[in-house]
Amino acid sequence: MSEILKERRELDPQDQWDLTRMYASDAEWETAFAAVDPQIDAMPSWEGKLNTAEEIRGFYDAYTDLFRTLGNLAVYANLRLSEDTRAADAQSMEARITAKYVRAISGIAFAQPEILSLPDETMRKILQDPRVEPYRFVLEDLVREKPHTLSAPEEKLLARFGEVFGAPKNIADNLMDADLVFDPVQNQAGETVELSGSNYILLQTSEDRTLRENSFRSFYKTYRQHINTFAASYSGAVKASVAEAAARHYSSSRAMSMAGENIPEPVYDNLVSAVRGHLPDMYRYVSLRKRILGLQELHYYDVYAPLTQGISARYTYDQAKQMVLDAVAPLGEEYCSIVRKGFSERWIDVYPNKGKTGGAYSSGSYDSSPYILTNFTGTLDSVSTIAHEMGHSMHTWFSNHTQPPQTADYTLFVAEVASTVNENLLIEHLLSQPDMDPQTRLALLNQYLENFKGTVFRQTMFAEFEREAHAMAERGEALNPASLNALYEGLVKDYFGPELVMDEEVRYEWARIPHFYRPFYVYKYATGYSCAVALSEAVLREGEPAVKRYLEFLHMGGSAYPLDELRHAGVDLTTPAPVNAALDKFGRILSQAERCVEEVERQTKK
């Protein structure tokens, strides 16, 4: 096996996203970049005037137009940088638009404190004025956060620290995506295989255990060599969050992060408690994996190994597109037609190349189509990733085509729902195929179990890591390599149980999790997946009524609080019931997988 990454110019442009629908060229972007300065410079002129419905409406119109333009510029720069993180021109674009964003935010820092300083009676009358109707929800949400909004000079000062607060993430991103170099590794046949951040997980899914182990040890050897830098950057990110929470009079950085979406903290703690209550099922899964692989010891580099030949099947990109379309068919023709549009209009940047950002994401601005970055390798997981990211993009599409700019952005709390609905529909579609042999069925069930493992169990483990790391900083404890390694290692032991051998390298895994630099985001994967289980099952069970509720949810964007939007779709996360129901399904899928293993073993003995 030899995995050689190509330079981007060597790939077929038809397999790359088409950014010309945003800007025809980088030169056109530069023209638009320069032209936005007058808008930024005009914003401070509103200071001292925000005391009537007319002036507030005028300010928000100008604000919306400005940040709509900045959003276009920022998304394009970020997409260009993702293509090749080594590219100096893209790095420059990203840095300059970030600085301009910070300048724009600094220039409007007066607005929220000024509006919130109005007498309550004046604010009530303004909220009832028809002139502010397009911004009523925005203003009501602003009033909700009044106790945590600082004075105008203080808000302006905090805004000016935007780049400083973002520096730890930038340091970690550059280290991971551009600077880390991994030693090549050998497979069982003695062939040399290139190792990179983008192909590491692919190598961990190889049937070649020698390759899995060698890539695992090489990968974390490099992280260990830089662990002091990673610890310093993460400590800086946590301390920045803790400092801002204290300045804004929140009880903790977690309370501040969750308040932005109006999510009660018990939602987080209920998730952790529910998942910990179902850890015996995860231990069963670890044992089943060890049994199928026929190993005396199960190591961390075995947790992604394929359990059957079926899971090692490879698919072309064209096959992947059709599989996704077949899977989402229950959501109706309108939904499917837009998915087809995304495929034909090159929303997707498909294959890995040297310097390309690893992983996958969906992005886009209000005025652009959605864009999807993947590093497609032909595995079933890669197909699932396309379904996942297309779910994000469809949520964005419906929101942007229904809501005005000020309420189009859905919150992070609901962001993972649409993506995992698509993942679940894909697996359910594949499992519904007739005359399936036990090994193929086991492969699909294992993919389902892997989705639960990665999205509910692991993300909740990450959520516990974040909760404790931030609490440690708030108690004045050091966030150094020793403390962070020990915290992470202990959680892995708790979540995967006694059957898993704890290799020394495991303790460094926290350093490669980029979401830790977006405080208290990862728990939303787990809550989102739990909601997605409920919604996808409702779609398949009820048909049109559930589809209608779900599509209405996708159209809501950010026009309501996320818990209210989910209730509209049919899920209530103020109770632990959705999480427990999802984990109960994990147990049922696991039981099916265990029966498949027994059937395979019986057939093997014949």
Side-chain angles (χ1 to χ4, degrees), residues 518-561:
R518 181 182 286 180
F520 301 103
Y521 174 58
V522 292
Y523 86 99
K524 300 170 192 178
Y525 281 105
T527 54
Y529 195 93
S530 299
C531 293
V533 169
L535 294 172
S536 57
E537 291 199 324
V539 164
L540 296 174
R541 182 179 63 251
E542 299 177 32
E544 180 55 32
V547 171
K548 182 176 182 294
R549 291 195 306 270
Y550 177 63
L551 294 182
E552 287 172 350
F553 160 76
L554 296 184
H555 284 73
M556 293 175 76
S559 62
Y561 291 122

Side-chain angles (χ1 to χ4, degrees), residues 100 138 247-248 363 365 397 467 492:
K100 193 158 286 194
V138 174
R248 294 192 178 282
S363 183
S365 67
W397 175 273
R467 185 176 66 178
V492 173

